[in-house]
């Protein structure tokens, strides 16, 4: 980032490269900083949190979270029913 | 996931549980000066507020921590999937519009327009999902 800034090169960070925005469409001859290898996933059972790197996609966390007993969204009801 | 988060992170549970951005607790990020900082409600709170809604241009996030929750009902969900032929678009749109302010937040839906290559048909698809019922 320091190098790009010092040479006035526009850049952006990319993960799975699924999205599009008008900002991205305006970027030309810039630097794409590929974060896709940062695939770390850490689940903290006590704090009930998950920490991920920028290369992690939603599909990567679903099974590890489920196996640890968690979902990303909170359920509010206490009456189970199938 | 982090890209999704900074863009909001809409999902089928947002009526009751909010967006993915609402689950974000803290980040580590490199700012424009090349400095690695932490941002959370207690550390650089202005920066944390900024990234939760004002886009991804404040720096490059190298790590993000989210609150998670224990699931109930063994994680089982109740899922109802409707498809409607595209020539019923007008009726379908009226039904979707009528649900707009009336949909129970525990019953969340996703609406798609899908193309079936096998039949060469376009459909409206409405998927409604609920973790479990209180009835």
């Amino acid at each position: 980032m320091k190098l790009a800034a010092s040479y006035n090169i526009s850049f952006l960070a990319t993960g799975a490269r699924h999205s599009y925005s008008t900002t991205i469409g305006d970027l030309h001859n810039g630097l794409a900083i590929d974060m896709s290898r940062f695939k770390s996933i850490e689940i903290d059972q006590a704090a009930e949190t998950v920490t991920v790197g920028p290369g992690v996609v939603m599909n990567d966390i679903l099974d590890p979270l489920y196996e640890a007993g968690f979902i990303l969204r909170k359920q509010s009801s206490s009456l189970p029913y199938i | 996931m982090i890209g999704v988060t900074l863009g909001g992170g809409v999902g089928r549970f947002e009526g009751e549980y909010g967006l993915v951005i609402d689950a974000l607790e803290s980040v580590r990020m490199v700012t424009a000066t090349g400095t690695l900082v932490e941002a959370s409600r207690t550390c650089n709170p202005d920066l944390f507020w900024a990234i939760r809604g004002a886009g991804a241009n404040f720096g490059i996030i190298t790590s993000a921590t989210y609150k998670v929750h224990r699931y109930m009902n063994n994680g089982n969900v109740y899922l109802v999937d409707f498809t409607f032929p595209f020539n019923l678009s007008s009726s379908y749109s009226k039904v979707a519009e009528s649900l707009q302010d009336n949909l129970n937040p525990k019953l969340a839906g996703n609406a798609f327009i899908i193309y079936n290559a096998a039949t060469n048909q376009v459909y409206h698809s409405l998927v409604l999902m609920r973790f479990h019922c209180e009835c």
Side-chain angles (χ1 to χ4, degrees):
Chain A
M1 284 175 71
K2 282 180 178 166
L3 194 65
S6 68
Y7 284 94
N8 209 33
I9 299 172
S10 296
F11 62 89
L12 49 74
T14 67
R17 301 190 171 184
H18 288 159
S19 80
Y20 172 77
S21 74
T22 52
T23 310
I24 294 172
D26 288 341
L27 181 71
H28 301 289
N29 300 315
L31 190 66
I33 299 180
D34 183 356
M35 308 295 283
S36 64
R37 290 194 190 181
F38 290 87
K39 283 280 198 183
S40 62
I41 299 171
E42 286 166 34
I43 297 171
D44 185 329
Q45 285 272 354
E48 297 190 350
T49 61
V50 62
T51 299
V52 302
V56 169
V57 296
M58 285 297 193
N59 202 45
D60 293 334
I61 62 156
L62 297 179
D63 284 346
L65 275 182
Y66 184 79
E67 277 150 30
F70 294 113
I71 52 169
L72 193 58
R73 294 296 203 293
K74 187 178 192 304
Q75 291 173 256
S76 62
S77 173
S78 59
L79 287 175
Y81 179 96
I82 295 178
Chain B
M1 187 173 169
I2 292 178
V4 166
T5 303
L6 296 177
V10 298
R12 59 191 63 203
F13 299 119
E14 70 189 43
E16 187 160 338
Y17 312 130
L19 306 170
V20 177
I21 194 80
D22 295 316
L24 189 65
E25 298 243 300
S26 68
V27 297
R28 286 171 63 79
M29 59 191 292
V30 182
T31 64
T33 57
T35 313
L36 181 65
V37 300
E38 181 179 326
S40 67
R41 283 178 184 83
T42 53
C43 183
N44 293 312
D46 285 349
L47 180 60
F48 190 58
W49 180 83
I51 64 169
R52 291 175 300 138
N57 291 347
F58 291 97
I60 295 185
I61 292 179
T62 58
S63 164
T65 299
Y66 303 81
K67 187 74 180 154
V68 293
H69 302 277
R70 305 236 171 240
Y71 55 76
M72 286 177 277
N73 198 33
N74 293 318
N76 288 303
V77 302
Y78 194 71
L79 189 72
V80 183
D81 194 346
F82 299 94
T83 55
F84 304 90
F86 207 64
N87 61 5
L88 293 181
S89 287
S90 178
S91 305
Y92 168 80
S93 300
K94 289 191 175 80
V95 170
E97 193 180 359
S98 74
L99 291 174
Q100 187 170 271
D101 295 315
N102 301 317
L103 198 62
N104 187 315
K106 290 193 199 308
L107 183 67
N110 276 358
F112 302 92
I113 295 175
I114 58 177
Y115 170 66
N116 186 329
T119 61
N120 197 32
Q121 297 281 321
V122 180
Y123 298 91
H124 287 283
S125 172
L126 180 65
V127 179
L128 298 174
M129 189 153 134
R130 176 134 171 66
F131 266 102
H132 45 78
C133 178
E134 286 164 337
C135 46

